Amino acid sequence: MPHATARDNLRADLSAHVRRAGYYPDLVEDVLDVALADEDVLAHLVQAETTFDDAVRRHLTVLALTPTRLVTAHVDDHEGDAAHPSSAAATTEAVPLSEIRSVALTHVVDEPAEHRPGDSASELTLAIGWGAVSRIDLEPAQCPDPACEADHGLTGQLTPDDVVVRVSGAAEGRDALRRAMAFARSLSAATGAGGRATR
C-alpha cells in the first residue's frame, strides 16, 4: 500500500521537524493530533522564533496542509504565576481551504541584477489570509497645500494578517527557505484547486 506509506512518512516527517525545533514537542504533537483529526498531512512548515525584550521568549508556528484544511498551531511561552511559574499557551485553528483568500509571498533577493533562474531568495515571508485577523496601519492624512494647518484625520491600509511566517536564509539556512517555498507552492496549488488539496 504505497499510498499509506507516503501518508505515514509525511506525518512522521512533521513529527521529526517538531522534535527538531525542540520547543515542548510532546505538547505540540498533542495539540496537532487533535486539530488534524486523523486527516492526511500533505505538506507542512515548522518555524521556531526566539525574541528578546525584557526576557527571552520563544514562539513556534506549525502549518499543516490536509486534503481539505489548513491547520495552524501557535505555541508561546506564557507568563505564569506563583503556583505555576512556567507555562505555555498552545492555540490551533483549522481553516477550510475554500475559505483561504490569499497566499502572499515576499521574496527578498540580494544582488537582484545577478539573479539567475532557480536561485533562491535570501529571505521569504509567507502571509496567509482568510479574513479572521486584519492589521490596520494608520498615519496622518496629508494635504497637498504645504501651508495648510487643518487636521485631515487619518489614512491607512487594511492588510490581512492571519498568519505571517518569515524565513531567513542567514538565520535558518537554505534548507529552511526551500521547505518554506515548497509549502507555499503546495498551499497555493491547493487553494487554486477548488478548495481541495491533492497529492
Side-chain angles (χ1 to χ4, degrees):
M1 292 176 46
H3 180 74
T5 302
R7 179 175 65 232
D8 293 344
N9 286 342
L10 277 175
R11 190 66 182 262
D13 190 54
L14 171 57
S15 177
H17 280 86
V18 166
R19 296 210 163 268
R20 191 175 303 129
Y23 182 50
Y24 305 130
D26 291 333
L27 169 62
V28 175
E29 290 206 66
D30 276 353
V31 299
L32 279 173
D33 186 60
V34 173
L36 287 168
D38 296 325
E39 267 200 291
D40 296 353
V41 175
L42 305 181
H44 62 80
L45 181 62
V46 177
Q47 179 69 1
E49 291 179 76
T50 303
T51 57
F52 304 89
D53 42 36
D54 56 333
V56 177
R57 300 189 190 281
R58 297 175 296 169
H59 176 82
L60 185 74
T61 301
V62 180
L63 307 177
L65 177 64
T66 79
T68 62
R69 301 175 299 147
L70 171 67
V71 173
T72 70
H74 296 281
V75 186
D76 295 276
D77 289 325
H78 192 263
E79 189 172 329
D81 54 29
H84 304 95
S86 174
S87 64
T91 304
T92 59
E93 184 171 4
V95 182
L97 293 178
S98 59
E99 297 295 318
I100 294 178
R101 297 179 185 172
S102 67
V103 179
L105 288 169
T106 301
H107 306 253
V108 176
V109 178
D110 298 331
E111 304 297 338
E114 297 175 17
H115 181 81
R116 298 292 173 263
D119 288 353
S120 62
S122 60
E123 183 180 303
L124 184 71
T125 300
L126 168 63
I128 307 165
W130 54 89
V133 179
S134 295
R135 181 182 72 247
I136 301 177
D137 297 317
L138 294 174
E139 61 183 28
Q142 301 298 316
C143 178
D145 180 0
C148 180
E149 296 182 4
D151 182 353
H152 294 282
L154 299 172
T155 185
Q157 182 174 356
L158 183 66
T159 308
D161 199 21
D162 294 299
V163 171
V164 178
V165 176
R166 178 181 165 270
V167 181
S168 164
E172 287 99 11
R174 294 288 172 183
D175 283 345
L177 280 170
R178 281 190 284 273
R179 286 194 301 272
M181 187 73 74
F183 179 82
R185 184 185 296 271
S186 295
L187 182 60
S188 291
T191 56
R196 186 166 185 87
T198 56
R199 287 188 186 281

